Amino acid sequence: MTDSLRVEIAGPLTTLQDLGRPGYAHLGVPRSGALDQPALLLGNRLVGNPPTSAALEITFGPFAATLPRAGTLALTGAAATLRVGGRPAPINAPVAFRPGDRVEIGRAVAGLRGYLTVSGGFAAPPVLGSRATDTLSALGPPVVRAGDLLALGEPTGDPSTVDVAPRPAVGGPITLGLTWGPRHEYFTHPGELLAGSYTISNDSNRVGARLAGPALTRAHQRELPSEGIVLGAVQVPASGQPLIFLADHPTTGGYPVVAVVDPADLPLLAQARPGDTVRFRGPQQ
């Protein structure tokens, strides 16, 4: 019988995520996958999993579950309290657990998304080669709910010997690098994007981070046919307020894309909370 983790508290949004399913945009399928991939990769290394193993992406928390067997887990990404078997445990570190232990994760105190990796990974059936939950198209496993049983795979590697692995600080103001997009000429002064200061809006999600701040003014109002959208595209709808597309983004869109965020900076955006400040730097800055 397959060992299954029993979810008791799922928080506002918990999903299974791996490295996603890139390469299917021509079929209308977003890439999905962990928004903070370095955090996912670190967690899998700590517990001895292959980098492609699926983990739980826990947005804000709290989260609690009962573990069916002995093994190793790690919590990476957002900073939060972690208790395993009733005992405090460090984050960004391999933590041994016993059969029947309860893992308890508090609300994030810095950052937004935590990643719970377990030795063996999660064994949900893959869809187009990935176990990632796509919240836009509903591909992959469903959103995790309290009471769910999540099957675990068989461990294939040894846990890391690292006690606590270094991770960049999360939370607070962030600066994102940009390259100009295919439609920056649609705006009177696209450089205003670099001069302004924006905040993350409350209606942001895995599809995109909506920003509130100085509106960009269109140079002309002619409509665009739908065009391909890439991860990190900064689209500007009629409101003039930028929207940065994240992993569950649609594959096409009709509003102009003024710029694209440097992929190396997207993990910073993945950990930004509503109300956090966002600034941009251009390719020469």
Side-chain angles (χ1 to χ4, degrees):
M1 181 177 178
T2 302
D3 292 326
S4 296
L5 176 148
R6 181 183 295 274
V7 179
E8 300 169 15
I9 301 171
L13 178 65
T14 295
T15 58
L16 275 175
Q17 298 296 338
D18 54 18
L19 298 180
R21 48 181 71 87
Y24 294 98
H26 64 295
L27 300 178
V29 178
R31 69 174 59 211
S32 195
L35 295 189
D36 186 348
Q37 289 201 359
L40 171 70
L41 292 169
L42 171 61
N44 277 326
R45 287 199 303 271
L46 290 173
V47 303
N49 288 344
T52 54
S53 295
L56 290 176
E57 182 181 87
I58 300 164
T59 303
F60 190 62
F63 177 87
T66 300
L67 299 152
R69 66 188 188 203
T72 305
L73 62 79
L75 177 64
T76 57
T81 58
L82 173 65
R83 296 179 66 85
V84 179
R87 301 176 298 279
I91 66 172
N92 299 324
V95 179
F97 60 84
R98 301 166 298 188
D101 273 356
R102 191 169 189 255
V103 55
E104 302 167 82
I105 300 170
R107 290 182 174 88
V109 296
L112 183 62
R113 295 176 172 93
Y115 293 85
L116 178 64
T117 48
V118 179
S119 50
F122 291 87
V127 177
L128 295 178
S130 170
R131 294 181 169 88
T133 300
D134 182 338
T135 60
L136 180 66
S137 63
L139 280 176
V143 170
V144 175
R145 308 290 186 191
D148 284 353
L149 293 174
L150 304 179
L152 299 178
E154 290 298 321
T156 57
D158 295 325
S160 170
T161 56
V162 173
D163 291 326
V164 178
R167 271 283 286 157
V170 294
I174 61 172
T175 300
L176 305 175
L178 293 180
T179 55
W180 293 119
R183 299 298 177 186
H184 69 280
E185 77 280 359
Y186 265 58
F187 300 91
T188 306
H189 300 292
E192 291 176 345
L193 192 64
L194 306 179
S197 178
Y198 294 86
T199 56
I200 302 288
S201 172
N202 285 325
D203 57 355
S204 300
N205 51 33
R206 280 186 48 86
V207 175
R210 294 185 180 275
L211 305 183
L216 295 183
T217 304
R218 294 275 291 265
H220 48 75
Q221 300 301 317
R222 68 176 181 267
E223 295 302 317
L224 279 170
S226 288
E227 298 181 310
I229 296 292
V230 299
L231 179 66
V234 184
Q235 190 185 70
V236 184
S239 66
Q241 299 292 320
L243 162 67
I244 305 173
F245 280 117
L246 300 177
D248 290 354
H249 66 82
T251 55
T252 61
Y255 291 117
V257 172
V258 64
V260 179
V261 172
D262 184 339
D265 290 339
L266 289 174
L268 297 174
L269 188 58
Q271 295 297 351
R273 299 173 181 238
D276 280 355
T277 300
V278 177
R279 297 187 67 90
F280 297 101
R281 66 177 183 274
Q284 276 76 48
Q285 291 181 287

